[in-house]
């Protein structure tokens, strides 16, 4: 471990902004793995953080996958152990009640795209490119990419991208539903932060329930998923946020949600 600061957390109006700053391509090294784990634990313990933004430092890369030169070090701990730690962190982002927005400021390849896929929403610069390119090295994605990509874009398109290692530009990414919004170059973080701040002021309990219902519902048949939805409708009627939202609407004022 180098001891260099490669993952940074800044809190801005209820938003935890996580920046991977590991030049030149923000690769997922062992240092990034260790520090990202610490940062996510800090986020989990801070109730004032109500939304999360993840981005990469610099103008060229979000995260360009693993550092191939670092592979000998990763072999020492074994592929399963190394991948499991990252998969647990990505699963945390997928399952936390907080909304998570990826600000894709450039290349998102391999593990970088797998990180982005674990986020709820993705905002990309015009120059951004995406790909699970592991096949070009004789590898397969090991951080959830095969599963999350197929669920997002469908199995046939996922297989095409996985088999060929093709990199996708933002126009195709929008058509596939891989990103939610494309913005001018250099604006991904600003737009992601703007959206995250809005979400941080919204009804956090309802957002968390929505996120859980979408994620869990994909695993269920429709009848069971609709029953689960009704259970959460009943739960949300017991929240302070609902009472606040209704009172604000009736009295024509802005709601001040307390996430409870």
């Amino acid at each position: 471990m180098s001891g260099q600061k490669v993952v940074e957390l800044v809190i801005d109006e209820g938003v935890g902004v996580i920046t991977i700053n590991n030049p030149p391509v923000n690769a997922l090294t062992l240092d990034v793995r260790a520090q990202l784990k610490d940062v996510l634990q800090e986020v989990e313990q801070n109730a004032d953080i109500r939304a999360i933004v993840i981005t990469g430092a610099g103008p060229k890369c979000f995260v360009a996958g693993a550092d191939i030169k670092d592979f000998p070090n990763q072999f020492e701990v074994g592929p399963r152990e190394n991948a499991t730690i990252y998969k647990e962190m990505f699963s945390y982002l997928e399952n936390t009640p907080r909304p998570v927005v990826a600000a894709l400021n450039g290349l998102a390849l391999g593990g970088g795209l797998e990180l982005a896929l674990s986020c709820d929403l993705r905002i990309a610069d015009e120059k951004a490119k995406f790909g699970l390119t592991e096949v070009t090295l004789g590898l397969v994605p090991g951080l959830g990419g095969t599963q999350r990509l197929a669920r997002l874009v469908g199995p046939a398109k996922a297989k095409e991208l996985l088999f060929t290692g093709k990199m996708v530009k933002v126009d195709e990414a929008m058509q596939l539903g891989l990103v939610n919004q494309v913005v001018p170059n250099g604006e991904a973080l600003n737009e992601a932060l703007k959206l995250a701040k809005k979400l941080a002021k919204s009804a956090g309990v309802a957002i968390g329930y929505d996120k859980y219902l979408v994620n869990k519902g994909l695993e269920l048949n429709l009848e069971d998923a609709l029953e689960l939805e009704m259970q959460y409708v009943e739960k949300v009627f017991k929240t302070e946020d609902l009472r606040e939202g209704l009172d604000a609407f009736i009295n024509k004022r802005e709601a001040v949600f307390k996430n409870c």
Side-chain angles (χ1 to χ4, degrees):
M1 300 291 179
S2 69
Q4 180 182 355
K5 189 79 170 178
V6 290
V7 181
E8 302 164 353
L9 172 66
V10 175
I11 303 172
D12 186 355
E13 296 181 29
V15 178
V17 182
I18 299 171
T19 303
I20 297 176
N21 185 6
N22 188 27
V25 295
N26 300 325
L28 295 178
T29 59
L30 296 178
D31 285 333
V32 170
R33 189 188 74 181
Q35 293 182 30
L36 181 59
K37 184 176 181 179
D38 289 342
V39 164
L40 291 179
Q41 288 175 343
E42 184 178 347
V43 169
E44 175 64 19
Q45 295 165 5
N46 190 334
D48 293 332
I49 296 176
R50 296 178 58 174
I52 301 169
V53 168
I54 297 182
T55 194
K60 295 183 179 180
C61 290
F62 171 68
V63 172
D67 185 350
I68 304 303
K69 296 178 182 178
D70 195 51
F71 264 38
N73 294 325
Q74 299 193 28
F75 286 149
E76 292 178 7
V77 297
R80 176 178 287 272
E81 181 179 345
N82 183 57
T84 297
I85 295 171
Y86 267 119
K87 285 172 69 175
E88 289 173 351
M89 291 190 286
F90 292 3
S91 292
Y92 168 79
L93 295 171
E94 185 173 51
N95 296 317
T96 176
R98 299 172 172 93
V100 183
V101 184
L104 304 171
N105 53 308
L107 291 173
L109 304 177
L113 180 54
E114 291 177 288
L115 170 58
L117 290 171
S118 70
C119 300
D120 300 305
L121 304 170
R122 286 160 290 276
I123 296 177
D125 279 353
E126 290 175 326
K127 69 176 183 302
K129 294 181 180 179
F130 316 95
L132 293 178
T133 56
E134 284 86 348
V135 71
T136 64
L137 297 172
L139 293 168
V140 297
L143 309 181
T146 61
Q147 303 309 302
R148 292 191 178 101
L149 182 66
R151 284 164 170 76
L152 190 63
V153 306
K157 194 65 184 181
K159 289 174 184 177
E160 176 191 335
L161 297 177
L162 289 163
F163 294 174
T164 63
K166 172 185 175 181
M167 284 197 290
V168 174
K169 294 181 180 180
V170 289
D171 53 350
E172 185 176 355
M174 275 292 292
Q175 292 173 3
L176 292 173
L178 195 57
V179 299
N180 299 90
Q181 183 180 354
V182 177
V183 297
N185 291 336
E187 290 299 312
L189 179 57
N190 290 337
E191 289 300 318
L193 189 54
K194 185 187 303 183
L195 173 59
K197 286 180 179 179
K198 180 178 179 179
L199 296 176
K201 294 178 181 178
S202 298
V205 175
I207 288 176
Y209 287 177
D210 285 340
K211 180 171 177 174
Y212 173 76
L213 287 167
V214 170
N215 290 348
K216 185 65 177 178
L218 290 172
E219 303 171 8
L220 304 174
N221 62 55
L222 182 57
E223 183 178 353
D224 289 342
L226 291 173
E227 171 56 28
L228 182 66
E229 181 183 75
M230 186 51 61
Q231 292 173 15
Y232 275 77
V233 169
E234 293 175 334
K235 289 180 67 170
V236 84
F237 263 77
K238 300 175 183 178
T239 64
E240 292 293 331
D241 276 359
L242 175 62
R243 283 187 276 273
E244 168 63 14
L246 293 175
D247 186 75
F249 179 82
I250 292 168
N251 291 290
K252 298 181 181 180
R253 62 176 178 82
E254 185 175 352
V256 180
F257 295 110
K258 298 181 179 179
N259 204 23
C260 61

